[in-house]
Amino acid sequence: MGKYKTLLFDVDDTLLDFDLAENAALTRLFEQENITVTPAMLVRYRELNEAMWRAFERGEVTKNVLHNTRFSNFFKEYGIDIDGEHFEAGFQKYLQEAHYFVEGAYDVIAQLAKDYDLYVVSNGKTTTQNKRLIDADLAKYFKGIFISEQTGYQKPMIEFFDYVFTRIDGLDKNKTLIVGDSLTSDIKGGLRAGIDTCWFNIRDIDNTSDIQPHYEIKKLNELHMLLENKKILASI
Ligand SMILES: [Mg+2]
């Protein structure tokens, strides 16, 4: 019996490449709205969006405020007045039509599903994430899909993990590992919830934060080795 039984996976930039999907969705959205967006403006959009997500993780803004004002706030900086909710609806529509795998994600998940109980833990929008996971043919490998919108809480809030844990039959926190690319939501949340954490350092960045994951991988397929080693150690 290996150390772990239950694996919790983040979605965006852990299994599905969010940047590619976001780029495709933004390009289609701005074309549809006849707005020319320069690369510099896209950089600024990402900064603003990122700042709003961090505020959301800290519980300072709601998901609705984030979604309905990120585009209007962004365009306001350029003196353009747009309907934020209308843009958000268009963005979500295009986003859910796009899914690009993180390298190796499909094979790793298909393989791990044979030996472990897999669950999705995502801070995205329920309909968007479900559709992307189904279109990517990944949904079938997960025993449960937990999305912040449906739980009412988000990573790294302890309430999000409490919600998930009470809905997994026979969950043993000592045999549970969360895998995700975000130190501030996946790893911080996992540490708070008292489970082991594996930081998927997909962008190969230095961790200058005080959030210390139990493990770090840079390629998703390193998970096999990590879990195997744990199995070996646990069986000695
Ligand atoms: Mg992520």
Side-chain angles (χ1 to χ4, degrees), residues 76-87:
K76 202 179 288 174
E77 291 193 357
Y78 300 93
I80 303 170
D81 194 20
I82 59 103
D83 179 346
E85 289 187 44
H86 169 71
F87 266 64

Side-chain angles (χ1 to χ4, degrees), residues 11-12 122 124-134 147:
V11 175
D12 287 321
S122 166
K125 242 180 143 57
T126 309
T127 48
T128 305
Q129 294 301 60
N130 276 328
K131 183 169 189 323
R132 292 170 74 223
L133 287 166
I134 289 166
I147 316 255

Side-chain angles (χ1 to χ4, degrees), residues 62-74:
T62 65
K63 180 62 81 67
N64 266 347
V65 167
L66 187 161
H67 279 146
N68 293 332
T69 63
R70 57 179 167 181
F71 285 107
S72 45
N73 286 343
F74 164 64

Side-chain angles (χ1 to χ4, degrees), residues 21-210:
E22 185 185 49
N23 271 343
L26 289 175
T27 302
R28 291 179 69 186
L29 173 69
F30 296 147
E31 271 173 18
Q32 173 198 287
E33 300 295 331
N34 284 317
I35 295 181
T36 305
V37 176
T38 64
M41 285 170 78
L42 272 183
V43 170
R44 180 60 188 148
Y45 168 77
R46 287 185 200 285
E47 280 173 7
L48 274 177
N49 187 42
E50 189 67 22
M52 289 194 78
W53 274 97
R54 293 296 86 82
F56 169 64
E57 286 168 8
R58 292 191 299 268
E60 294 166 9
V61 297
T62 65
K63 180 62 81 67
N64 266 347
V65 167
L66 187 161
H67 279 146
N68 293 332
T69 63
R70 57 179 167 181
F71 285 107
S72 45
N73 286 343
F74 164 64
F75 280 114
K76 202 179 288 174
E77 291 193 357
Y78 300 93
I80 303 170
D81 194 20
I82 59 103
D83 179 346
E85 289 187 44
H86 169 71
F87 266 64
E88 183 62 29
F91 176 68
Q92 292 296 336
K93 173 171 158 272
Y94 290 135
L95 188 63
Q96 70 181 23
E97 288 172 9
H99 65 267
Y100 302 88
F101 288 109
V102 165
E103 185 190 345
Y106 189 88
D107 291 340
V108 167
I109 291 299
Q111 195 63 35
L112 292 179
K114 294 175 186 169
D115 295 322
Y116 301 91
D117 295 338
L118 309 185
Y119 293 87
V120 161
V121 287
S122 166
N123 273 1
K125 242 180 143 57
T126 309
T127 48
T128 305
Q129 294 301 60
N130 276 328
K131 183 169 189 323
R132 292 170 74 223
L133 287 166
I134 289 166
D135 287 351
D137 203 25
L138 279 176
K140 65 184 181 189
Y141 293 118
F142 293 92
K143 296 202 161 175
I145 293 177
F146 299 101
I147 316 255
S148 63
E149 190 181 49
Q150 131 222 342
T151 65
Y153 305 100
Q154 68 272 6
K155 297 174 292 183
M157 296 169 83
I158 188 71
E159 290 89 345
F160 176 86
F161 290 89
D162 286 343
Y163 180 103
V164 170
F165 293 167
T166 57
R167 283 162 180 80
I168 298 178
D169 274 348
L171 179 98
D172 182 346
K173 286 210 282 185
N174 294 320
K175 295 182 178 177
T176 301
L177 177 73
I178 183 170
V179 182
D181 69 295
S182 169
L183 288 166
T184 53
S185 62
D186 305 313
I187 305 308
K188 188 173 183 177
L191 292 171
R192 271 186 186 164
I195 57 173
D196 283 3
T197 56
C198 176
W199 181 37
F200 179 19
N201 185 4
I202 185 172
R203 311 216 184 285
D204 195 8
I205 56 173
D206 289 331
N207 179 5
T208 53
S209 76
D210 58 358

